[in-house]
């Protein structure tokens, strides 16, 4: 059935999908929703009937619409640096804390490659027989069925992600089967990242939530991160995808290089060094006028123009606007900042991310390109001043991850 669909129906469908998934408006694929609606109309239902169903708090149609927009792209040992870090740093640290078992969660696991990769990583990094458990959760039940079958084709293996730890055996030319020892410790359950994980699943030492929050509104992303952090054991590590967050989540500290996007939950009573953001705000609050009066000018005809505020100070003003929910105001501040200080990398990244979140990807891409070319010119380890001092390679990696996104997903 072709032809125009009732716009009220599509608007309501969009609202329902956004509420269930947490997706930004521009991350909700209209064609996918339209296919679902048209299929229902073809089965003889009227637009009014569908609209009535979508006005219910929960309904089968809402769930079908939400499932239709989910993107389940994944593969084994994606972002291998996370698995290396877990093996080389995370596991030894957990053992030093006295852990007697290690538990991982692949949150938004799609068809399970990430959960099995995490289980294999933990098992290979621990003494034989050390207890390991990994949970994979997703909203998409059909993906979880694939995960439970534990048989994968060539699409799940990519050159860019080496097989870091023993994970599967070949089944003929095309397929692979997850090793029984890995499969035994990995379970899957349906769960929405916007709702608390039921208590029975316990707490975790390692959580991977990657390439999921990139589709979320800022509010949904913050809510999901808060829920994730509540399920970590003290000292546990949360790994997010590149460019999914641009600051350290509350109650956590950064671990490893910034581009790793790894955050550790503080142990109770553990003191935090004041964050560089606080230090930057302190700098921003420094007295504007020199404490000693400047020597009198020989020609007092015109007052000297005040120097423009430091870029990181303007940036902090924009961050405050974002926190207040004033994205329009924040955009205006950042646009002025980028015009005034085109080499200030944190400003380019902030503005690009803000535009991306507001759905203006076409306006974010050129900024990310500029960011990459400016970051490339700096030595990778050179610290770039901003609300948080980060090395140039963080900005390059963020821009690369963003610009390569379209080719991977
Ligand atoms: C692109 S895949 C990423 C898979 C894996 N984490 C990786 O990085 O390879 C994103 C997954 O997140 C799931 N997802 C999206 N929104 C979700 C939500 N609100 N709750 C749970 N899962 C969600 C989708 O169903 C999809 O399987």
């Amino acid at each position: 059935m072709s032809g125009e669909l009732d716009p009220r129906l599509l608007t309501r469908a969009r609202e329902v999908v956004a509420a269930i998934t947490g997706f930004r408006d521009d991350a909700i694929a209209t064609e996918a929703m339209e296919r679902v609606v048209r299929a229902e109309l073809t089965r003889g239902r009227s637009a009014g009937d569908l609209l009535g169903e979508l006005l219910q708090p929960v309904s089968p149609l809402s769930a079908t619409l939400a499932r239709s927009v989910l993107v389940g792209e994944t593969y084994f040992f994606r972002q291998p640096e996370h698995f290396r870090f877990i093996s080389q740093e995370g596991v030894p640290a957990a053992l030093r804390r006295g852990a007697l078992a290690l538990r991982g969660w692949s949150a938004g696991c799609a068809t399970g490659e990430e959960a099995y990769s995490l289980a294999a990583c933990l098992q290979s990094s621990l003494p034989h027989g050390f207890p390991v458990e990994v949970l994979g959760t997703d909203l998409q039940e059909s993906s979880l069925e694939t995960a439970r079958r534990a048989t994968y084709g060539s699409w799940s293996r990519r050159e860019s992600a080496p097989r870091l730890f023993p994970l599967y055996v070949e089944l003929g030319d095309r397929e692979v089967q997850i090793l029984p020892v890995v499969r035994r410790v990995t379970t899957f359950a349906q769960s929405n990242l916007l709702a608390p994980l039921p208590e029975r699943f316990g707490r975790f030492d390692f959580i991977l939530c990657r390439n999921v929050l990139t589709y979320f509104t800022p509010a949904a992303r913050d809510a999901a991160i808060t829920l994730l952090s509540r399920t970590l054991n003290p000292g546990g590590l949360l790994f997010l995808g590149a460019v999914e967050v641009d600051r350290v989540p509350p109650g956590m500290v950064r671990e490893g290089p910034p581009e790793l996007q790894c955050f550790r939950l503080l142990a109770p009573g553990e003191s935090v060094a004041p964050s560089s953001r606080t230090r930057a705000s302190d700098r921003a609050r420094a007295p504007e006028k020199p404490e000693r009066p400047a020597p009198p000018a020989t020609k007092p005809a015109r007052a000297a123009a005040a120097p423009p505020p430091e870029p990181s100070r303007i940036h902090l003003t924009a961050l405050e606007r974002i926190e207040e929910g004033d994205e329009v105001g924040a955009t205006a501040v950042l646009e002025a900042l980028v015009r005034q200080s085109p080499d200030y990398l944190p400003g380019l990244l902030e503005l690009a991310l803000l535009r991306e979140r507001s759905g203006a990807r076409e306006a974010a891409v050129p900024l990310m390109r500029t960011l990459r070319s400016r970051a490339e010119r700096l030595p990778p380890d050179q610290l770039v001043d901003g609300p948080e001092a980060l090395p140039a390679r963080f900005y390059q990696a963020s821009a690369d991850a963003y610009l390569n996104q379209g080719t991977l997903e």
Side-chain angles (χ1 to χ4, degrees):
M1 189 188 286
S2 60
E4 288 296 296
L5 290 171
D6 183 339
R8 282 171 313 160
L9 182 53
L10 283 181
T11 304
R12 181 63 195 152
R14 214 165 246 293
E15 285 167 3
V16 164
V17 167
I20 296 176
T21 59
F23 279 19
R24 293 186 320 267
D25 194 54
D26 66 304
I28 299 175
T30 307
E31 323 76 65
M33 286 191 321
E34 284 187 2
R35 267 197 300 279
V36 172
V37 170
R38 285 186 199 285
E40 292 294 315
L41 294 173
T42 309
R43 285 172 45 208
R45 295 184 68 185
S46 69
D49 178 24
L50 297 180
L51 193 54
E53 182 173 343
L54 292 182
L55 290 169
Q56 304 296 319
V58 278
S59 76
L61 180 56
S62 315
T64 308
L65 282 165
R67 280 195 299 270
S68 77
V69 304
L70 299 174
V71 180
E73 163 75 4
T74 184
Y75 45 92
F76 296 128
F77 297 116
R78 186 178 193 177
Q79 288 177 262
E81 63 281 8
H82 284 170
F83 298 100
R84 288 195 190 99
F85 190 83
I86 290 172
S87 179
Q88 292 163 13
E89 310 281 342
V91 168
L95 295 179
R96 282 196 298 277
R97 286 196 304 274
L100 298 174
L102 288 183
R103 306 192 70 242
W105 177 17
S106 161
C109 66
T111 38
E113 287 87 331
E114 183 180 79
Y116 288 126
S117 302
L118 178 57
C121 166
L122 293 176
Q123 285 181 325
S124 300
S125 313
L126 285 161
H128 181 71
F130 191 96
V132 165
E133 279 175 12
V134 171
L135 171 70
T137 63
D138 204 281
L139 205 48
Q140 188 72 285
E141 185 55 55
S142 61
S143 295
L144 297 171
E145 282 164 22
T146 305
R148 291 186 190 105
R149 276 198 294 278
T151 303
Y152 294 94
S154 53
W155 191 242
S156 303
R157 290 168 284 161
R158 302 285 167 87
E159 299 261 320
S160 59
R163 182 153 50 130
L164 295 176
F165 304 101
L167 177 61
Y168 51 72
V169 286
E170 313 274 337
L171 284 185
D173 287 350
R174 299 199 167 173
E175 288 190 325
V176 296
Q177 171 97 60
I178 299 296
L179 291 170
V181 67
V182 176
R183 203 171 165 185
R184 219 173 289 133
V185 300
T186 313
T187 52
F188 295 93
Q190 192 186 33
S191 182
N192 190 333
L193 288 169
L194 297 182
L197 189 70
E199 283 290 324
R200 67 175 184 282
F201 290 111
R203 288 180 177 254
F204 303 93
D205 305 288
F206 302 98
I207 300 179
L208 304 185
C209 183
R210 308 168 320 153
N211 310 299
V212 181
L213 305 180
T214 188
Y215 303 102
F216 283 27
T217 62
R221 181 199 55 198
D222 292 349
I225 292 177
T226 301
L227 292 172
L228 290 168
S229 68
R230 286 192 192 147
T231 67
L232 274 172
N233 282 322
L237 299 179
L238 169 65
F239 293 83
L240 302 175
V243 302
E244 289 186 331
V245 287
D246 42 14
R247 49 206 124 236
V248 178
M252 309 192 90
V253 283
R254 219 181 252 289
E255 284 287 303
E259 65 276 21
L260 197 66
Q261 293 286 62
C262 169
F263 305 97
R264 178 170 62 81
L265 186 70
L266 291 165
E270 186 182 347
S271 62
V272 197
S275 76
S276 35
R277 167 141 188 227
T278 318
R279 289 199 295 274
S281 354
D282 290 342
R283 267 208 311 279
R285 273 190 243 108
E288 277 171 36
K289 289 181 191 149
E291 282 171 15
R292 271 188 288 145
T298 39
K299 279 193 192 165
R302 279 179 57 186
E310 277 176 45
S312 58
R313 184 172 174 176
I314 304 176
H315 191 166
L316 281 165
T317 308
L319 291 178
E320 277 158 21
R321 299 259 160 95
I322 293 173
E323 271 161 29
E324 287 157 9
D326 176 12
E327 296 209 346
V328 175
T331 305
V333 172
L334 287 167
E335 280 171 349
L337 172 58
V338 165
R339 269 196 307 276
Q340 177 204 301
S341 309
D343 290 323
Y344 177 69
L345 305 186
L348 286 167
L349 180 61
E350 197 79 61
L351 182 57
L353 291 174
L354 197 57
R355 287 186 171 162
E356 164 69 26
R357 279 185 219 130
S358 62
R361 187 174 163 82
E362 68 296 341
V365 168
L367 283 166
M368 287 292 194
R369 289 210 185 103
T370 310
L371 175 66
R372 180 163 64 185
S373 72
R374 300 227 154 104
E376 269 167 3
R377 283 187 227 143
L378 299 176
D381 288 324
Q382 180 174 316
L383 280 183
V384 176
D385 202 12
E388 190 181 8
L390 296 167
R393 72 187 132 76
F394 168 78
Y395 292 98
Q396 196 184 330
S398 300
D400 277 344
Y402 181 86
L403 294 168
N404 293 336
Q405 213 165 234
T407 56
L408 288 175
E409 299 296 308

